[in-house]
């Protein structure tokens, strides 16, 4: 999706649907026309092209820990917030699931369940960040990027970092201040 069209509904256009039945962004188009979907697949492509700085690990242990925390941050963070967002925001009344070209109504009960999941996610981040500077250990990685997306997305549905979660606050301030995040 051309950058200027993000947020303008381009991903819902017939032109995009014709090219990708998944109807999801982000989507990377390679020079040969190949389409690569799924955020992590796109990140792996760029990490393979530009291995430095390393964001996906460079030894068996760091690769495993980064993968573990990235998946947790997506499934238990981003997806939990999405459950709240897609089932509560009026503009998504008939779009409760991303990527569908038929109406998908909201299920209000999922909002409360999603909030429970987000709270648990914050608790798990707090536990981990009480012992480590970054999520997957002591170096910034893709796991921090996905978790940052989850936390910033949570703020949009009024689920900010709980004030007692001091380690999450400290980590959030540090990763948000990185030039790539502020850009
Ligand atoms: N698992 C996918 C999730 C992609 C996704 O949910 N994208 C949303 C925007 S963040 C989307 O394309 N929504 C289209 C819609 O609302 O129908 C990934 O990591 O790329």
């Amino acid at each position: 999706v051309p950058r200027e069209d993000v947020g303008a509904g381009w991903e819902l256009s017939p032109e995009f649907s014709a090219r990708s039945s998944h109807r999801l962004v982000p989507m990377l188009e390679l020079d040969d026309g190949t389409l690569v979907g799924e955020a992590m697949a796109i990140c792996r492509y760029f990490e393979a092209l530009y291995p430095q700085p390393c964001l996906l690990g460079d030894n068996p242990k760091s690769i495993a820990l980064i993968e573990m925390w990235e998946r947790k941050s997506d499934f238990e963070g981003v997806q939990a917030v999405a459950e709240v967002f897609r089932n509560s925001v009026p503009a998504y009344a008939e779009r409760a699931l991303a990527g569908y070209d038929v109406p998908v109504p909201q299920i209000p009960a999922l909002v409360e369940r999603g909030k429970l999941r987000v709270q648990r996610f914050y608790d798990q981040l707090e536990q981990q960040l009480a012992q480590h500077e970054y999520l997957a250990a002591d170096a910034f990685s893709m796991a921090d990027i996905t978790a940052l997306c989850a936390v910033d997305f949570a703020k949009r549905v009024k689920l900010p970092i709980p004030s007692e979660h001091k380690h999450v606050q400290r980590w959030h301030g540090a990763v948000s201040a990185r030039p790539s995040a502020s850009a």
Side-chain angles (χ1 to χ4, degrees), residues 88-146:
S88 63
V89 172
Y92 287 81
E94 295 295 328
R95 292 177 56 200
L97 288 175
Y100 281 66
D101 64 346
V102 293
V104 180
Q106 294 174 329
I107 301 176
L110 290 178
V111 178
E112 285 313 306
R113 194 184 74 173
K115 287 181 182 172
L116 193 76
R117 293 173 67 197
V118 174
Q119 183 57 48
R120 186 164 182 266
F121 174 64
Y122 276 135
D123 291 346
Q124 288 177 339
L125 288 190
E126 180 68 6
Q127 260 188 32
Q128 177 69 358
L129 293 167
Q131 295 167 46
H132 301 280
E133 187 176 354
Y134 295 104
L135 259 191
D138 299 316
F140 180 77
S141 75
M142 189 62 214
D144 298 290
I145 296 173
T146 302

Side-chain angles (χ1 to χ4, degrees), residues 43-167:
C43 291
R44 288 195 186 288
Y45 175 81
F46 284 115
E47 178 100 341
L49 269 181
Y50 307 105
Q52 294 301 329
C54 168
L55 290 170
L56 294 173
D58 59 4
N59 64 69
K61 184 176 168 186
S62 68
I63 290 169
L65 290 178
I66 291 167
E67 179 84 13
M68 175 176 85
W69 282 102
E70 197 286 327
R71 288 173 70 95
K72 284 182 181 299
S73 298
D74 186 359
F75 298 157
E76 297 170 17
V78 176
Q79 299 306 324
V81 181
E83 192 164 78
V84 176
F85 180 83
R86 307 254 353 174
N87 287 290
S88 63
V89 172
Y92 287 81
E94 295 295 328
R95 292 177 56 200
L97 288 175
Y100 281 66
D101 64 346
V102 293
V104 180
Q106 294 174 329
I107 301 176
L110 290 178
V111 178
E112 285 313 306
R113 194 184 74 173
K115 287 181 182 172
L116 193 76
R117 293 173 67 197
V118 174
Q119 183 57 48
R120 186 164 182 266
F121 174 64
Y122 276 135
D123 291 346
Q124 288 177 339
L125 288 190
E126 180 68 6
Q127 260 188 32
Q128 177 69 358
L129 293 167
Q131 295 167 46
H132 301 280
E133 187 176 354
Y134 295 104
L135 259 191
D138 299 316
F140 180 77
S141 75
M142 189 62 214
D144 298 290
I145 296 173
T146 302
L148 177 63
C149 292
V151 170
D152 288 344
F153 189 16
K155 284 195 275 181
R156 289 189 57 187
V157 286
K158 300 192 172 58
L159 295 172
I161 302 167
S163 55
E164 68 273 21
H165 286 32
K166 301 291 180 210
H167 297 286

